[in-house]
């Protein structure tokens, strides 16, 4: 009998090609160890509440009241909820037609989309249109929907920064497109060197070669030769992640202008993953949106460049990952395309309504004078200041380790140290059939319980190794974690370095 | 300059092919009219809370407390929350690692999946394995994920009941597969006649023709010739919707046995859309799951048939559509395939955690003796009994109308009357370039504010016309709505019938 449709050998090949390292081999092994009773520090995914970050009180009060609207008529409600939370809950309930239990419009509640538009207008200094804002179940779902709209087949390439967040490689594989990498420059604090990008383009064009690379990229976790992947006809869009994941850099205005000009000249849609826009840990380069820079540059670019920007309640000082709130905003996208995106969003009916309320609360926060304002500021500042300290502790910690170098985390939630693995370690890994950084990270996990993601899951230059960790473990636990890391690392290096001229057992 | 990636002409063609009638032309026109101030009765989508159904109190209390866990330490909490809601909130928080704000495992919280497994075990009399249950953002997302796993290209056909819920046609188009229709028999209360299905298969096989029909089906909203669509090699899966959407029938055990045997013999995966399992309005045919019937049939079928079953908190007496809670359970799916499905689920990180809690509350409800039990039973019974009455009022109302015949809604939330359009009405529609039932439904909308979905959005036999309405308008409003419908319909028929031998202006 021929295989059935859900037998492994007959599944959609694109599904099989997907690799998703953030919850890959390391995560699975960590879950096993946890079941066996080992204490695991999950730094594999940016999941702040799982590591003890407390939710902001005010938004939770509002959403709790929206969930239980009958409380609004309870004479005792004022004993446990502040008046501004009660007022805000009434406001959001008035934006729904049937409360949190009713499907909203598939683009999200019109009233919340209006609040998002006002937020974007204030942030950028240019008004935004609610009709071009779609609320989503977290930013990832929005990215997936836009890529599904763009990708027609493996001839369609998407420029993605390497190291990259595996959402992109996985989604591009799933929809059968091709990932076209561009390298971030580690020695320039993970900046994007547009001249290198242009040179690669010119060089590749002169060769005129079209090769689908998603397969090679995803199966081998490495890219051996950028040149052969580029074909200007095939490339349809470019992704930027600002602040960077996993690399933590904040793009400068100058860099953003170069990127926008490049996309305009090359006729590329720009996808701006800006989910970490509130996570900034230095003062030299504040977050600035691709949209603002684009409008500042003026026409024709500002009228023509197709831009989709993404944001979420999962990051920032909110960290409300489990609520699945997010949005994307479309700029210069033709109305017929917006209609198509709306139609496809309709298939799954409605994003989560509680998640939409969180989006509203994020973009339309408390103002000075509101009863809960001081508490809100205290809580949110506390989180951001602590993250800034943790970014510093972590970078310094990594840089104190043998054969480890690490750029400072300017923004986002991750540290991405380079691990200079000695040849003997690489050899030992290969003997076990492991990618060398996977080998290192597994040993780290077994020795210390620290669950990281190997750099190969994000892409890296041939022969260079990294790991990604979040900066999210509690501030007070951070010194111990870094000490534990250092002890493991330095012993590992001791074991595998052979410059001492003797070998160990 | 060549078109940009998000210009309409260069979008993914599969996206453009998607049709989704539930939120199609009628819905858009209704939304416009509403903006202009007209009172619209939205019966286009099964969205109970939007039409005034009150949420069940207990689950909302529990989830409100989970959203605001700091209330659990508030000495006044007992004044507005019952003790069992407090205990239940603590229970669910204990199943998370970081509360509602933390991503869960991409399959959902293990503790909730365990509760789902226990529910399925009690319901069917056969134990269920939590590792084979994945929580999802509503059932639709689960259906989409499974279809994405199955469909490799347009050579892959999915058998879908016609009339069908457009989630299936839309998703199959989006992923580039082919919808293969099988007809439900209106004269047999929308039953599935397995002999007809077998005859079609045999007949088609003898011709040996493979034709992709998704395109024809979706663009024309009709199927002209079943024979040419069938090819046994190409068909990979069969969908059943039980109770039926839009048709409202409950499948008998005998019918389910035939379907299961058919899938087994034809090597098809069975997708059991059982989201209306709590919505039953007669006593002769209670809901019975495909899984239970399959296990009752015993080996080899029960060991080999690949089955995926779907459920949700959006329907039943819950109607918690906006919360986006659902699950699917896999039976006889090989472990390597389960791993692949897990991997793809990981890309979007986590289903909504509040939605997961609702799933837990649905499958593990209050028990006699619990403080809130009586209220819960009163509320849920009230909703179901009222739905049963409304199903009856609606069916009788339609059957009292000229040229309208309607099967009783045995289950689910819809009425699907056949509208026998006079030739002159069909002609008038064609002159306007409209499908005849769209023409009728638009006129109904303009005249009465009742927003329905034309039968062509679900597929129907050539020359036969229907509309779908939910049975969800408030019970007290139902007589007026049906009177308003009858007035419109009978005038419409009066206008377009020409048996009187004279024509009107």
């Amino acid at each position: 009998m021929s295989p059935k449709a859900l037998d492994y050998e007959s599944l959609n090949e694109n599904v099989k090609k997907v690799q998703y390292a953030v919850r890959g081999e390391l995560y699975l092994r960590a879950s096993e160890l946890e079941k066996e009773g080992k204490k695991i520090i999950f730094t594999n995914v940016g999941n702040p509440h799982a590591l003890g970050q407390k939710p902001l009180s005010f938004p939770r009060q509002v959403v709790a009241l929206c969930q239980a609207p009958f409380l609004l008529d309870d004479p005792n409600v004022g004993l446990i909820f502040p008046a501004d939370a009660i007022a805000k809950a009434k406001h959001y309930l008035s934006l729904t037609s049937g409360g949190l239990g009713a499907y909203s419009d598939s683009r999200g509640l019109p009233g919340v989309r209006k609040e998002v538009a006002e937020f974007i207008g204030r942030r950028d200094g240019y008004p935004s249109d609610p009709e071009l804002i779609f609320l989503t179940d977290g930013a990832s779902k929005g990215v997936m929907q836009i890529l599904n709209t763009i990708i027609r087949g493996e001839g369609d390439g998407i420029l993605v920064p390497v190291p990259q967040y595996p959402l992109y490689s996985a989604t591009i594989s799933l929809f059968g497109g091709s990932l076209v990498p561009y390298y971030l420059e580690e020695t320039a604090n993970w900046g994007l060197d547009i001249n290198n990008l242009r040179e690669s383009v010119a060089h590749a064009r002169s060769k005129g070669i079209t090769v689908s690379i998603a397969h090679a990229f995803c199966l081998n976790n490495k890219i051996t030769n950028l040149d052969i992947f580029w074909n200007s006809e095939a490339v349809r869009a470019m992704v930027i992640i600002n602040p960077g994941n996993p690399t933590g850099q904040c793009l400068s205005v100058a860099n953003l202008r170069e990127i926008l000009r490049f996309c305009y000249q090359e006729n590329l849609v720009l996808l701006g993953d800006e989910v970490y826009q509130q996570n900034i840990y230095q003062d030299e380069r504040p977050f600035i949106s691709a949209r603002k820079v684009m409008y500042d540059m003026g026409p024709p670019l500002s009228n023509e460049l197709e831009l989709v920007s993404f944001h979420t309640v999962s990051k920032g000082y909110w960290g409300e990952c489990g609520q699945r709130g997010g949005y994307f905003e479309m700029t210069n996208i033709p109305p017929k395309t917006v209609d198509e995106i709306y139609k496809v969003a309709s298939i799954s009916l409605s994003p989560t309504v509680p998640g939409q309320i969180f989006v509203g609360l994020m973009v339309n926060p408390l103002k000075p004078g509101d009863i809960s304002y001081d508490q809100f500021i205290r809580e949110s500042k506390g989180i951001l200041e602590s993250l800034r300290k943790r970014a510093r502790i972590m970078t310094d910690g990594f840089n104190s380790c043998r054969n480890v170098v690490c750029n400072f985390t300017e923004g986002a939630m991750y540290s991405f140290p380079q691990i200079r693995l000695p040849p003997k370690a690489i050899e030992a890994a290969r003997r076990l059939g492991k990618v060398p950084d996977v080998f290192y990270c597994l040993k780290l996990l077994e020795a210390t319980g620290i669950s990281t993601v190997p750099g190969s899951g994000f892409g890296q230059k041939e022969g260079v190794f990294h790991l990604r960790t979040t900066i999210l473990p509690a501030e007070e636990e951070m010194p111990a974690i870094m000490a534990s890391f250092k002890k493991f690392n330095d012993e590992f290096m001791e074991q595998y370095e052979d410059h001492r001229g003797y070998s160990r057992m």
Side-chain angles (χ1 to χ4, degrees), chain A:
Chain A
M1 208 165 204
S2 56
K4 294 181 279 260
L6 283 172
D7 288 352
Y8 180 79
E9 53 271 42
S10 75
L11 300 182
N12 178 352
E13 286 298 326
N14 289 335
V15 164
K16 293 194 224 171
K17 273 185 221 160
V18 167
Q19 286 225 346
Y20 195 72
V22 172
R23 299 207 169 184
E25 181 179 358
L26 262 287
Y27 171 72
L28 297 174
R29 179 67 187 135
S31 302
E32 272 175 28
L33 287 172
E34 191 180 41
K35 266 193 194 159
E36 292 167 15
K38 188 171 174 74
K39 189 185 175 228
I40 302 296
I41 302 150
F42 281 102
T43 69
N44 61 305
V45 55
N47 194 6
H49 293 205
L51 291 174
Q53 182 179 307
K54 291 258 178 312
L56 300 167
S57 304
F58 180 76
R60 289 298 194 96
Q61 289 166 333
V62 173
V63 177
L65 285 165
C66 290
Q67 281 289 8
F70 40 81
L71 293 184
L72 296 169
D73 304 323
D74 190 305
N76 289 319
V77 67
L79 294 175
I80 57 175
F81 288 98
D84 51 0
I86 294 170
K88 201 76 164 181
K90 288 180 178 165
H91 162 72
Y92 282 112
L93 287 173
S94 79
L95 300 182
T96 69
S97 55
L100 302 196
Y103 293 128
S104 71
D105 187 279
S106 305
R107 298 165 296 186
L109 296 163
V112 173
R113 289 157 57 216
K114 188 161 160 281
E115 293 184 335
V116 173
E118 287 161 1
F119 156 74
I120 293 172
R122 284 194 307 275
R123 184 194 65 188
D124 293 346
Y126 298 98
S128 163
D129 179 357
E131 297 295 304
L132 301 176
I133 292 163
F134 282 29
L135 305 184
T136 51
D137 293 331
S140 302
K141 285 281 169 62
V143 168
M144 293 177 84
Q145 205 199 326
I146 297 297
L147 287 173
N148 191 18
T149 308
I150 291 176
I151 295 172
R152 300 164 302 185
E154 63 177 341
D156 285 341
I158 312 292
L159 270 170
V160 173
V162 172
Q164 59 101 33
Y165 178 50
L167 163 65
Y168 295 96
S169 52
T171 304
I172 293 167
S173 293
L174 183 63
F175 296 137
S178 294
L179 185 148
V180 180
Y182 66 91
Y183 284 98
L184 302 177
E185 192 45 53
E186 185 164 15
T187 54
N189 207 24
W190 296 115
L192 162 58
D193 183 343
I194 207 90
N195 290 324
N196 282 352
L197 185 52
R198 283 189 199 285
E199 272 167 35
S200 297
V201 173
H203 184 52
R205 273 197 189 139
S206 72
K207 292 191 172 182
I209 299 167
T210 312
V211 177
S212 162
I213 66 92
H215 191 74
F217 178 73
C218 291
L219 291 186
N220 300 335
N221 279 322
K222 63 180 180 185
I223 301 144
T224 47
N225 188 343
L226 179 60
D227 297 355
I228 62 160
F229 303 140
W230 178 271
N231 175 284
S232 68
E233 287 303 299
V235 176
R236 309 245 295 158
M238 174 167 175
V239 173
I240 55 171
I241 310 176
N242 179 36
N245 176 4
T247 43
Q249 83 287 3
C250 294
L251 293 176
S252 66
V253 174
N255 220 180
L256 281 165
R257 292 173 66 97
E258 287 177 317
I259 290 164
L260 287 158
R261 209 174 292 121
F262 175 78
C263 288
Y264 180 71
Q265 288 163 352
E266 302 294 337
N267 216 25
L268 303 180
V269 171
L270 181 61
L271 305 182
D273 180 336
E274 300 178 334
V275 299
Y276 297 102
Q277 59 188 268
Q278 292 178 317
N279 297 95
I280 307 292
Y281 312 122
Q282 39 72 43
D283 304 314
E284 296 74 40
R285 269 200 292 285
F287 170 75
I288 182 160
S289 75
R291 180 178 177 276
K292 177 178 170 49
V293 175
M294 187 178 92
Y295 279 127
D296 284 348
M297 289 170 80
L301 187 148
S302 63
N303 300 337
E304 292 181 21
L305 183 71
E306 294 183 345
L307 169 68
V308 186
S309 306
F310 303 88
H311 196 15
T312 182
V313 301
S314 300
K315 309 301 170 187
Y317 41 84
W318 294 71
E320 290 281 9
C321 303
Q323 313 278 1
R324 311 313 290 124
Y327 73 80
F328 59 85
E329 188 209 15
M330 296 172 279
T331 311
N332 296 326
I333 307 298
K336 278 184 78 175
T337 297
V338 175
D339 289 348
E340 293 296 305
I341 293 170
Y342 184 14
K343 182 184 69 182
V344 171
S346 298
I347 304 174
S348 46
L349 294 163
S350 163
T352 161
V353 178
Q356 297 181 44
I357 309 292
F358 275 102
V359 172
L361 288 160
M362 176 177 76
V363 298
N364 188 12
L366 288 164
K367 289 171 190 57
D370 290 336
I371 302 168
S372 303
Y373 178 77
D374 288 345
Q375 186 187 5
F376 183 79
I377 292 297
R378 197 165 56 244
E379 291 174 353
S380 53
K381 262 199 166 171
I383 291 167
L384 272 187
E385 279 167 11
S386 170
L387 283 172
R388 187 185 272 241
K389 278 186 234 159
R390 284 180 265 173
R392 175 52 64 197
I393 297 170
M394 204 158 227
T395 309
D396 291 348
F398 283 131
N399 281 319
S400 78
C401 294
R402 191 155 150 186
N403 295 346
V404 177
V405 285
C406 186
N407 285 321
F408 177 63
T409 300
E410 298 179 342
M413 289 184 172
Y414 310 97
S415 189
F416 197 65
Q418 186 183 139
I419 314 291
R420 295 191 171 144
L421 293 176
K424 274 177 65 185
I426 296 172
E427 214 174 276
R430 297 256 147 92
R431 272 200 305 273
L432 293 170
K434 300 271 180 215
V435 179
D437 56 4
V438 172
F439 173 75
Y440 178 90
C441 290
L442 279 171
K443 287 209 165 263
L444 172 67
L445 172 66
E446 306 275 348
T448 65
I450 303 173
S451 166
T452 60
V453 186
S456 51
F458 305 89
Q460 51 198 3
K461 288 185 181 166
E462 177 74 2
V464 180
F465 302 103
H466 297 84
L467 62 81
R468 188 189 83 165
T469 165
T470 69
I471 59 167
L472 297 175
E475 192 181 325
E476 60 275 19
E477 289 172 26
M478 199 63 103
I481 291 171
M482 293 315 294
S484 156
F485 177 84
K486 184 175 168 58
K487 179 164 179 293
F488 161 77
N489 176 78
D490 292 2
E491 285 174 10
F492 179 96
M493 294 303 169
E494 180 76 18
Q495 183 180 354
Y496 288 102
E497 280 192 328
D498 56 6
H499 60 256
R500 285 160 196 268
Y502 63 89
S503 71
R504 287 161 168 278
M505 288 297 287

